[in-house]
Amino acid sequence: MSRMVLRPWWWGGVIVLVLLGLGARVVPATQAAGPATFTVSVASAYLRAAPSASGAPTFSVFQGQTYLITGRTDDSSWLALDAAGASGGTWIRASYGTVTGPLTAVPVVGVALSAGPAPQATAVVSGGGVRANPGTAGLTLKFTITAKSTYVRSAANFSSQHLASLFTGNVVTAVGRDSTGGWLRVNYGGPSLGWLTLGVGKLAGEVMSLPVDGSVGGQVAAVNVPPNTAPTGPFPAWVPTITAHMAQVYRAAAGNQRDPNMFAVVGDCNSESWLFQGVVAVGNWDYVQHPYLAPTVRQFGNAWVRDSLAVNGGYSTQSVLDPGLAPPTQCQIGESPFACELRVTKASLVFIELGTGDHFAYEHFEYYYRQLIQYSLSIGVLPILRTKADALEWEEAGAPQNFINDKIRALGAEYDVPVIDFDLATRTMANHGLTDEAGHDFHISAEAIGVHVESSLQTLYAITHAP
């Protein structure tokens, strides 16, 4: 069987994956004691390694749980909790719960890495929806780097080109933002403007007051391949066969006001853009073996350069349906990350890549996964399911072997939607396509990332070329 070829220089970089906490352990809350405690009021939330929305998730907490507060930022907008199960920092935004006891008695142990609370959109009712404040034309704000180091990038995504390096204390001028308020367009002293993520510094003002920059996004790296090529043989067994029903759902997308040239992604750390869409976007995918896939890349060009609102380390089937975790600057009130991403993108297809973060709640996996499928189909979106390479629910929670993957396969057959059998694709790989980590493995390896991308492209090709 043929396998995708990744450019050699890129392989070394992806093997060392950023370890993001699964954040799906449902464990009893630490018994609160002491002068100040914090009770979670949102449905669920992440604890983070640093007092910033961009801090890596280290643990998940849930509504009604109470924790001792061990520290706070200088403005009390972030609190550090006594959560024994967390792997790293234990910071949570203070607005996600209620404080009991004298917070002023808690020591200040950090500085908020963003300008106060999460940026909120100025709601403007329009056709029953909500859109973000467009900002003030011509406004600029100083932005001081608080991270140890960071890159200025050519586009508002982590897959784009590095333009320069900045370090703690450097000051740049923010002249615009993306529509979410998560990225800043900055003048850093180089030959052109660049982009910085909001979480690496402190902005001297409200981010949503900056004008929305019209140059958000990037372009897929150019590929030169012969035109009108076709597959030289059948696809591997893990690529789904497209039925008449699946093809009809996709073809009807335009009639449902969906974009037939856009797909969305919902997933956990293994689905983050730099491990999936970004591989294609920046030209790290080699078309020598499969030149027929180049038109598919071009057709879905806007999808490869997008960072999904429904992808985050530790996401589970339940958390992607939780409105409390949806970015408030781009999502409507009461809208989940999953529903928000499908609305914003108008995608006709959605890759559903979940299950790893459901390992301690595997009994409820089918209930929530079924909702994802049903909602997608109800708005004219064809869901593309994917099994997973790990076996965490069996290794750590005592579930029957292959429990979640078998549920995914069964639901795919029940609803007649495509299933990419990634579990099957990785069986012949070293360590089942997983990196060798301390404890139980769940991050996919460089070889598995290659097949992840390749099987996605092949499935898109199969859907768009179905009779």
Side-chain angles (χ1 to χ4, degrees):
M1 78 189 87
S2 62
R3 288 283 173 83
M4 172 187 136
V5 177
L6 294 173
R7 298 186 188 278
W9 58 266
W10 186 81
W11 272 72
V14 297
I15 292 174
V16 183
L17 298 176
V18 175
L19 297 180
L20 297 175
L22 273 176
R25 297 175 182 267
V26 181
V27 297
T30 303
Q31 293 297 319
T37 61
F38 180 82
T39 301
V40 181
S41 60
V42 296
S44 63
Y46 288 122
L47 301 187
R48 297 189 178 272
S52 167
S54 62
T58 63
F59 197 61
S60 280
V61 294
F62 300 89
Q63 190 173 58
Q65 293 181 338
T66 300
Y67 296 86
L68 174 69
I69 302 173
T70 60
R72 60 188 175 93
T73 57
D74 53 351
D75 61 0
S76 296
S77 63
W78 288 82
L79 307 175
L81 306 182
D82 180 15
S87 56
T90 58
W91 291 98
I92 190 170
R93 199 181 292 279
S95 60
Y96 287 173
T98 57
V99 174
T100 301
L103 185 59
T104 54
V106 176
V108 173
V109 296
V111 176
L113 300 184
S114 61
Q120 300 290 323
T122 300
V124 180
V125 178
S126 174
V130 177
R131 59 183 175 86
N133 176 9
T136 303
L139 177 68
T140 63
L141 294 171
K142 295 298 181 183
F143 186 63
T144 303
I145 305 300
T146 56
K148 184 176 181 180
S149 63
T150 189
Y151 288 118
V152 180
R153 297 177 182 273
S154 61
N157 61 72
F158 290 106
S159 304
S160 57
Q161 179 185 359
H162 299 169
L163 300 180
S165 292
L166 296 177
F167 304 91
T168 304
N170 288 161
V171 179
V172 298
T173 301
V175 300
R177 60 174 173 87
D178 71 348
S179 59
T180 71
W183 288 84
L184 301 175
R185 184 78 156 163
V186 299
N187 183 344
Y188 63 98
S192 63
L193 298 178
W195 290 91
L196 288 169
T197 181
L198 182 67
V200 300
K202 196 171 186 68
L203 186 66
E206 169 56 49
V207 65
M208 300 308 286
S209 65
L210 288 168
V212 176
D213 192 284
S215 59
V216 173
Q219 295 182 339
V220 177
V223 291
N224 296 311
V225 296
N228 303 319
T229 55
T232 57
F235 287 149
W238 48 82
V239 175
T241 299
I242 306 305
T243 67
H245 168 257
M246 300 175 195
Q248 176 56 32
V249 172
Y250 171 70
R251 285 196 294 266
N256 292 311
Q257 286 73 54
R258 314 302 304 182
D259 183 351
N261 301 319
M262 187 71 185
F263 65 79
V265 182
V266 52
D268 52 37
C269 53
N270 285 321
S271 301
E272 291 186 333
S273 62
W274 70 284
L275 300 173
F276 182 14
Q277 304 105 292
V279 176
V280 175
V282 299
N284 287 332
W285 199 77
D286 195 329
Y287 295 88
V288 172
Q289 292 190 54
H290 306 298
Y292 66 92
L293 291 175
T296 301
V297 170
R298 288 192 285 267
Q299 177 179 348
F300 293 94
N302 289 333
W304 302 113
V305 296
R306 177 172 175 78
D307 288 320
S308 173
L309 299 170
V311 171
N312 206 335
Y315 261 178
S316 66
T317 52
Q318 181 179 7
S319 56
V320 296
L321 292 168
D322 182 358
L325 297 178
T329 55
Q330 198 164 0
C331 301
Q332 298 176 358
I333 295 174
E335 190 174 48
S336 70
F338 180 68
C340 181
E341 179 68 6
L342 294 185
R343 177 182 59 81
V344 169
T345 61
K346 298 186 181 299
S348 58
L349 304 156
V350 57
F351 288 97
I352 301 179
E353 307 187 344
L354 293 163
T356 295
D358 292 83
H359 60 310
F360 280 109
Y362 66 88
E363 298 97 334
H364 307 295
F365 173 81
E366 180 180 347
Y367 173 78
Y368 293 108
Y369 202 88
R370 188 180 292 273
Q371 291 184 45
L372 299 174
I373 298 172
Q374 290 175 343
Y375 180 77
S376 301
L377 292 172
S378 74
I379 62 172
V381 177
L382 178 63
I384 303 171
L385 317 184
R386 192 188 305 269
T387 61
K388 61 192 181 76
D390 68 78
L392 287 188
E393 75 274 18
W394 172 65
E395 294 172 342
E396 295 190 350
Q401 282 189 283
N402 302 312
F403 181 86
I404 288 178
N405 281 339
D406 285 345
K407 289 291 184 184
I408 293 173
R409 296 181 183 109
L411 289 169
E414 177 182 342
Y415 287 94
D416 192 20
V417 296
V419 178
I420 300 175
D421 202 337
F422 195 59
D423 169 50
L424 175 62
T426 55
R427 287 180 187 174
T428 59
M429 297 181 190
N431 198 33
H432 208 310
L434 301 170
T435 58
D436 188 9
E437 302 164 334
H440 297 290
D441 302 334
F442 62 91
H443 287 108
I444 60 175
S445 65
E447 183 181 10
I449 291 169
V451 174
H452 182 191
V453 174
E454 182 182 277
S455 60
S456 301
L457 281 164
Q458 290 170 326
T459 300
L460 292 172
Y461 179 95
I463 292 170
T464 55
H465 288 76

